[in-house]
Amino acid sequence: MTRITEDLVRKRAEHNDGILATLEEVSLHQLNIEKIELLGHMCKHLRILYFQSNLIARLENLHKLKELEYLNMAVNNLTKIQNLQRCESLQKLDLTVNFLDKAGLLSVQSLQHNDHLADLYLLGNPCAEWHGYRPFIVGTLPQLRKLDGQQIPPSEGIAARQMLPGLLQQLRQELLAEGIDPDKAAQVEDDSVTSDDIAETGYRDESGEMRRPWCPATRILEHRESQAQEAEAESRRKAQQQSYCNPDDIKTQLREDFPAIQEGEDIRQKNEGKWEFTLQDSANGAAVELDVEIGRDGCCSCACRVRCGLTAAKLSVALLLVTCCSQCPRRIYLVLHPTLHTPGPVQAYQHMIDHQRCPQKFSQSAECPKRAQATQE
């Protein structure tokens, strides 16, 4: 027996580069297949499906093929038509040379839900030998346009529908005479209704872990659980992305009440106060200048690690800077000055420390008009 597997379908989908998600036509004929499975999950966009010359005894697991238009089940072992009620797009059904007998004729009623079904083939089945075969099929399925390759004119359809009640009563009487229950013969399955109702197959052991036997129902249950987990994870991921994209949900927390700076402690510039600054080489290339613009009233409340004591006439700055390279003789200058819109007398300093921790030197800068007017302490 050949099982329908993903590898098998991919081999038969070479015309679609082996891609199953977009596969629209596949031929699985003459493979001794006994059961239809997996196609509804792997190839939901199938439009044409060939299953002729196999050993399939039951129509099943096709209800998810909503786009299926042509199904060829010729030369199989079918005895009843069922489980096609949810194939809404089905237009052509070939059941030539199967084993539908007179009792199987009653299952034709299940195709009344397939509104687009226009072409049906039942030649070679035992039911085709019954004297009322053609008018019974035409009367039961008014949407048909062709039966066994022959057109159905409107006049034949009208006559068949008028004959149907009598033919149905006669068929039931013949089945009862043969010891066959017509009501039971007319019962058909719709696996689209029952497929979602799968009972739990396992149990929980002493540790609380679920134990399930390996069976088709277990596979479906585990697949659904996996889908639910993936959906939940995707929902959390989208919610997290949404929070990133919504600036209203982002709240910046500013640090307050910094601990007092101990004597000898390194002070590192973090610029949490968002001060405007520039960092560039000096004109002669012998130093790197860091120019920070601070407001008269805002520097001390800022969250950067600059130690400031602001009075009406004095600005004291303590800052530790390290040169970019131990082998580089250049010095780093820190230039602090008020913004152009800040009035008032403010002292400006240049804090200079080289890589050898040379003594501090203060000098007045003539590059900035504001600093040129400042008085060195």
Side-chain angles (χ1 to χ4, degrees):
M1 179 184 71
T2 302
R3 298 289 299 273
I4 299 177
T5 63
E6 182 177 347
D7 291 338
L8 174 62
V9 179
R10 288 190 186 279
K11 290 179 181 178
R12 294 284 179 158
E14 294 179 351
H15 58 284
N16 198 47
D17 296 327
I19 301 175
L20 303 184
T22 59
L23 186 64
E24 295 186 355
E25 178 179 346
V26 66
S27 178
L28 299 173
H29 66 287
Q30 297 180 339
L31 293 175
N32 295 324
I33 296 173
E34 296 185 15
K35 183 179 180 180
I36 303 173
E37 52 188 345
L38 297 181
L39 292 177
H41 297 280
M42 296 188 301
C43 317
K44 293 186 178 182
H45 297 287
L46 278 177
R47 295 174 55 249
I48 301 174
L49 180 56
Y50 296 99
F51 264 128
Q52 66 268 29
S53 300
N54 281 294
L55 305 173
I56 300 172
R58 186 168 176 262
L59 286 168
E60 59 184 341
N61 298 323
L62 296 171
H63 61 281
K64 292 188 177 182
L65 302 180
K66 304 297 184 180
E67 302 175 23
L68 185 64
E69 298 177 0
Y70 175 32
L71 175 62
N72 191 329
M73 298 294 301
V75 194
N76 276 281
N77 298 338
L78 300 175
T79 59
K80 183 179 289 189
I81 303 174
Q82 58 188 355
N83 293 322
L84 295 177
Q85 295 92 320
R86 297 299 181 268
C87 297
E88 293 97 345
S89 302
L90 189 63
Q91 300 177 15
K92 182 177 180 180
L93 177 61
D94 191 344
L95 301 176
T96 303
V97 191
N98 275 274
F99 294 89
L100 274 77
D101 52 14
K102 285 192 297 183
L105 278 176
L106 295 175
S107 66
V108 173
Q109 299 176 4
S110 65
L111 295 176
Q112 292 176 343
H113 301 279
N114 303 95
D115 297 333
H116 300 285
L117 182 63
D119 199 354
L120 177 63
Y121 289 82
L122 289 171
L123 280 176
N125 286 275
C127 64
E129 299 177 3
W130 187 55
H131 65 89
Y133 156 73
R134 185 174 175 89
F136 181 85
I137 298 295
V138 174
T140 303
L141 303 175
Q143 72 270 35
L144 286 181
R145 296 294 176 264
K146 292 174 66 176
L147 176 60
D148 297 329
Q150 297 182 10
Q151 292 286 341
I152 303 175
S155 58
E156 182 181 2
I158 295 173
R161 287 189 287 275
Q162 293 174 348
M163 297 171 59
L164 182 61
L167 290 172
L168 181 58
Q169 183 178 2
Q170 184 179 356
L171 178 60
R172 292 177 63 90
Q173 291 176 352
E174 292 182 10
L175 292 175
L176 287 172
E178 296 175 4
I180 300 174
D181 185 356
D183 294 329
K184 185 176 181 180
Q187 292 178 356
V188 295
E189 297 178 357
D190 184 357
D191 53 13
S192 66
V193 176
T194 59
S195 62
D196 292 337
D197 303 327
I198 299 178
E200 178 58 63
T201 60
Y203 65 94
R204 294 193 178 275
D205 58 16
E206 297 178 354
S207 62
E209 185 177 355
M210 177 63 70
R211 300 287 185 179
R212 289 174 175 150
W214 182 246
C215 62
T218 294
R219 295 185 62 200
I220 295 176
L221 288 173
E222 292 180 349
H223 172 70
R224 291 177 181 175
E225 291 176 357
S226 177
Q227 279 189 323
Q229 292 173 358
E230 291 177 0
E232 183 180 357
E234 180 69 14
S235 177
R236 290 197 302 267
R237 186 185 66 84
K238 289 183 177 180
Q240 189 175 15
Q241 286 183 343
Q242 184 66 22
S243 66
Y244 292 156
C245 299
N246 189 356
D248 296 334
D249 296 338
I250 303 175
K251 297 181 179 179
T252 304
Q253 297 182 353
L254 298 178
R255 294 180 59 185
E256 298 179 355
D257 300 329
F258 279 95
I261 300 176
Q262 303 298 326
E263 184 176 356
E265 177 185 358
D266 290 349
I267 304 173
R268 297 178 176 83
Q269 167 74 348
K270 296 183 179 180
N271 198 22
E272 294 184 12
K274 309 298 182 182
W275 286 353
E276 296 292 336
F277 72 93
T278 59
L279 182 64
Q280 59 187 356
D281 290 337
S282 62
N284 57 9
V288 177
E289 296 181 352
L290 175 62
D291 191 347
V292 183
E293 295 184 358
I294 59 174
R296 178 179 178 181
D297 298 325
C299 64
C300 290
S301 61
C302 176
C304 72
R305 297 302 298 270
V306 175
R307 188 72 167 181
C308 300
L310 184 63
T311 63
K314 179 178 178 182
L315 174 65
S316 298
V317 178
L319 194 64
L320 178 64
L321 298 176
V322 182
T323 54
C324 59
C325 176
S326 62
Q327 299 178 355
C328 178
R330 297 188 302 171
R331 295 178 173 83
I332 295 181
Y333 290 83
L334 173 66
V335 181
L336 291 173
H337 62 83
T339 59
L340 297 180
H341 300 287
T342 303
V346 177
Q347 295 287 351
Y349 293 89
Q350 289 183 332
H351 191 178
M352 177 182 66
I353 303 177
D354 64 2
H355 68 279
Q356 295 179 349
R357 305 287 201 278
C358 70
Q360 299 179 7
K361 298 180 182 179
F362 299 93
S363 62
Q364 183 175 355
S365 172
E367 298 175 2
C368 176
K370 288 285 184 180
R371 292 199 298 270
Q373 298 175 5
T375 304
Q376 182 175 355
E377 183 180 23

